[in-house]
Amino acid sequence: MTRPSLVLGIDPGTAVTGFGVVAFDGRAATLVECGVLRTTAHDALSVRLTEIHDGVRDLIARHRPDTISVEDIFYARNVRTTVVLGHARGVILLAGQQAGLTIREYPPAEIKKAITGRGAATKEQVQFMVTKLLRLKHAPEPADAADGVAAALCACLSIQLPRLPEVRRPDMTTTKRAPRR
């Protein structure tokens, strides 16, 4: 029997980065570890990014996952927030690439839909479903940790289910209908 796939899921943030490590044997997923990496708000951005990068590298070294699943950028109303989040994602992706991991990126709505069936699910709904899917006694806390676990589970589900090819629909604007009699 081969060892289960290990997926490191990451919910990026510059203040709090949530993570979850999930083992997946092709049928069932098991939570290995989850938590958060915290940085200090008054530190320079470069210091915070180094802490995130080092924290992710430590997680990779400790668990040796096959895949890293990272939540994609959501577009905040504040452009600066989006840009800073992009920096955090960048150092996370760098750590995964340096370790030679398969990297998967999913938009937040796709992760929520994979876990709850609804792309606009609340953090509480994601926590509830993560608890049910992994048969846990209580939800991972804080919510950022549950979001990291959800990112890992999303990758597990996409590994299990092959994507269907896109079907092109005919352009309905050029189709002429026969006149009614």
Side-chain angles (χ1 to χ4, degrees):
M1 185 170 134
T2 61
R3 89 175 171 95
S5 293
L6 279 178
V7 179
L8 170 59
I10 303 281
D11 175 34
T14 52
V16 180
T17 294
F19 69 87
V21 180
V22 173
F24 183 64
D25 67 5
R27 288 176 290 157
T30 306
L31 181 64
V32 176
E33 180 185 3
C34 68
V36 294
L37 305 171
R38 293 186 191 276
T39 63
T40 305
H42 56 269
D43 283 346
L45 179 59
S46 59
V47 171
R48 297 171 85 180
L49 293 174
T50 300
E51 290 174 2
I52 294 166
H53 181 264
D54 292 348
V56 172
R57 283 184 53 196
D58 290 345
L59 287 167
I60 291 169
R62 186 165 65 239
H63 293 288
R64 296 196 296 214
D66 308 297
T67 302
I68 185 168
S69 175
V70 183
E71 185 175 293
D72 207 350
I73 290 179
F74 67 91
Y75 298 97
R77 290 183 185 171
N78 181 337
V79 174
R80 185 180 191 296
T81 302
T82 304
V83 170
V84 171
L85 180 60
H87 291 319
R89 279 181 32 80
V91 299
I92 292 164
L93 295 173
L94 175 63
Q97 183 64 37
Q98 288 174 331
L101 302 181
T102 299
I103 298 172
R104 299 190 182 272
E105 300 174 66
Y106 300 98
E110 190 173 331
I111 293 172
K112 290 175 182 181
K113 188 168 186 172
I115 303 308
T116 69
R118 188 169 162 262
T122 65
K123 284 196 174 277
E124 293 79 18
Q125 290 169 325
V126 171
Q127 283 179 299
F128 176 81
M129 286 306 299
V130 163
T131 304
K132 294 300 176 194
L133 290 169
L134 293 171
R135 299 168 306 282
L136 303 174
K137 291 181 182 178
H138 54 83
E141 290 185 8
D144 297 293
D147 289 346
V149 175
L153 283 171
C154 183
C156 292
L157 292 171
S158 71
I159 291 167
Q160 185 178 17
L161 299 173
R163 290 197 180 257
L164 296 174
E166 261 187 58
V167 176
R168 291 193 158 250
R169 292 185 173 183
D171 184 6
M172 300 306 273
T173 58
T174 60
T175 305
K176 292 185 179 183
R177 294 183 184 202
R180 287 190 167 190
R181 295 186 184 213

